[in-house]
Amino acid sequence: MTEPESGPATIAVIADEVGVSAATVSKVLNGRADVAARTRARVEESLERHGYRRRNRRLPAVTGHIDLVFHEFDSAWAMEVIQGVEAVTAPARVELVVSQLGGRHRPPPHWADDVLGRSPLGVLLVLCSLTDTQRRQLDRQRIPFVVLDTDSATAASVPTVGSNNFNGGLLATRHLVELGHRRIAVISGPQDVLCSRARVAGYRSALDETGLPADPELVRYGLFTGHTGYQHGLELLDRPDPPTAIFAGSDMQAMGVIRAARKLGLQVPADLSVVGYDNVPMAAWAATALTTVDQHVQTMAGTAARMLLDLAQGAPVPMTRIDLVTELVVRESTAAPRSS
């Protein structure tokens, strides 16, 4: 092998340095899977050392499509995200390719190959994020990505849009405490998801500031689904000392809780107060209109889409982490407990 040349690296320089063909380097750059793992690692090491990035991949104008990737696509919340994104992309004449990961929070190894084959303007990830290898693959192709409502703590360099989940949990629980509730349960999302833990942390903080104990038996985790709310609701409300109020981590969970209460002969809010999270449209039209935390899902999604399109055009973004304000929307599903 020859010594690496000075100046900007080319595919030929990388190939010569590593001792492979230019076609092999090109396959690595394009995320192709038909390269041996050890060879890929050597090529990627050389690319990193030279700071190589594929140049002139697209024209400055924003035309084409973006990939919108959900960790799971099974709720009204996901529809709110799509509507928020489309409100930004449709006027820009940018199309959406929507996919989901079946509940996983990291794309499978072949995912990058499929994305690079479509050559999108960018990728918007919802409640999921990329591996380091996938990030490098997109970066070399100059395909920007933005994470929406991240599942975990992200590096400062990763553009992220979310909401203040801690404050949402705080507002919901304070509302129930102010109504006079003392036994308040919380049902949140998956325990390995950052927003789930943040909402529970806000719940605990609200109890702590009023001197109320946080009973571990009243803290539950699961999926952000009606079924999770229903199952945990049945278990919590069938206890000898049931809660008089439940804060749910999503509106769908809250509706599951309300169904569980009715199955047990309880009335909402006379016997049980329920607070949801998200403020999806159906929350206002439920049989008992739902008190909920509005995290402005459409605005959050639209903000992420605008950030992604700016990055696709090469425009600098003023900040890489945006957390929107959460607000409590009080409706009919909360009231003072009977004993007050």
Side-chain angles (χ1 to χ4, degrees), residues 8-67:
T10 64
I11 287 179
V13 169
I14 300 296
D16 191 40
E17 178 178 306
V18 178
V20 297
S21 68
T24 298
V25 176
S26 181
K27 287 181 179 181
V28 172
L29 284 168
N30 289 320
R32 293 271 297 275
D34 54 340
V35 179
R38 291 182 63 182
T39 301
R40 181 186 296 277
R42 287 165 49 218
V43 172
E44 289 186 339
E45 182 182 349
S46 180
L47 291 167
E48 287 290 324
R49 186 163 56 253
H50 285 280
Y52 182 92
R53 294 183 70 186
R54 188 165 183 165
R55 299 169 179 81
N56 301 323
R57 193 183 67 83
R58 65 171 73 83
L59 297 173
V62 175
T63 57
H65 77 275
I66 65 172
D67 270 50

Side-chain angles (χ1 to χ4, degrees), residues 5 54 93 132 139 154 163 292 340:
E5 299 174 14
R54 188 165 183 165
R93 308 190 80 165
D132 290 342
D139 186 58
T154 56
S163 67
T292 186
S340 294

Side-chain angles (χ1 to χ4, degrees), residues 28-314:
V28 172
L29 284 168
N30 289 320
R32 293 271 297 275
D34 54 340
V35 179
R38 291 182 63 182
T39 301
R40 181 186 296 277
R42 287 165 49 218
V43 172
E44 289 186 339
E45 182 182 349
S46 180
L47 291 167
E48 287 290 324
R49 186 163 56 253
H50 285 280
Y52 182 92
R53 294 183 70 186
R54 188 165 183 165
R55 299 169 179 81
N56 301 323
R57 193 183 67 83
R58 65 171 73 83
L59 297 173
V62 175
T63 57
H65 77 275
I66 65 172
D67 270 50
L68 177 59
V69 184
F70 288 87
H71 92 292
E72 195 166 36
F73 184 70
D74 66 345
S75 68
W77 183 87
M79 292 304 301
E80 290 289 289
V81 171
I82 291 175
Q83 289 176 13
V85 172
E86 196 165 48
V88 172
T89 58
R93 308 190 80 165
V94 172
E95 296 180 347
L96 291 181
V97 173
V98 181
S99 61
Q100 59 101 16
L101 303 177
R104 295 185 299 270
H105 295 290
R106 298 290 183 277
H110 62 78
W111 174 87
D113 295 344
D114 298 338
V115 172
L116 294 175
R118 290 193 293 270
S119 191
L121 294 168
V123 178
L124 181 53
L125 299 137
V126 184
L127 264 179
C128 54
S129 53
L130 305 179
T131 65
D132 290 342
T133 297
Q134 290 164 344
R135 288 178 57 185
R136 286 195 296 268
Q137 288 176 289
L138 264 60
D139 186 58
R140 289 198 189 100
Q141 288 280 35
R142 291 197 169 183
I143 298 176
F145 67 93
V146 173
V147 178
L148 175 66
D149 208 7
T150 177
D151 68 300
S152 60
T154 56
S157 60
V158 176
T160 306
V161 179
S163 67
N164 193 328
N165 289 286
F166 176 89
N167 188 61
L170 187 71
L171 290 174
T173 311
R174 275 180 178 169
H175 170 64
L176 295 169
V177 170
E178 289 167 0
L179 287 172
H181 294 278
R182 294 298 177 262
R183 282 191 61 74
I184 303 170
V186 61
I187 303 171
S188 196
Q191 194 165 4
D192 62 345
V193 173
L194 182 64
C195 65
S196 302
R197 299 195 304 272
R199 292 170 196 177
V200 172
Y203 154 87
R204 288 192 171 114
S205 181
L207 295 180
D208 184 64
E209 68 185 15
T210 54
L212 293 174
D215 185 346
E217 294 297 317
L218 298 184
V219 178
R220 304 297 175 94
Y221 293 92
L223 300 177
F224 287 119
T225 63
H227 180 73
T228 291
Y230 180 72
Q231 291 296 329
H232 281 312
L234 287 176
E235 293 171 8
L236 288 165
L237 297 173
D238 200 36
R239 293 169 56 89
D241 53 349
T244 61
I246 296 178
F247 164 43
S250 73
D251 290 340
M252 295 306 297
Q253 282 185 344
M255 292 176 190
V257 169
I258 291 173
R259 182 180 173 190
R262 288 176 177 158
K263 181 177 178 63
L264 296 174
L266 302 174
Q267 294 182 333
V268 175
D271 302 306
L272 176 73
S273 285
V274 180
V275 179
Y277 205 104
D278 291 331
N279 196 27
V280 297
M282 69 178 69
W285 295 101
T288 302
L290 188 63
T291 295
T292 186
V293 176
D294 191 347
Q295 63 170 338
H296 306 286
V297 177
Q298 289 195 25
T299 301
M300 185 166 61
T303 300
R306 279 190 293 273
M307 181 184 288
L308 185 60
L309 293 184
D310 285 346
L311 290 169
Q313 287 183 297

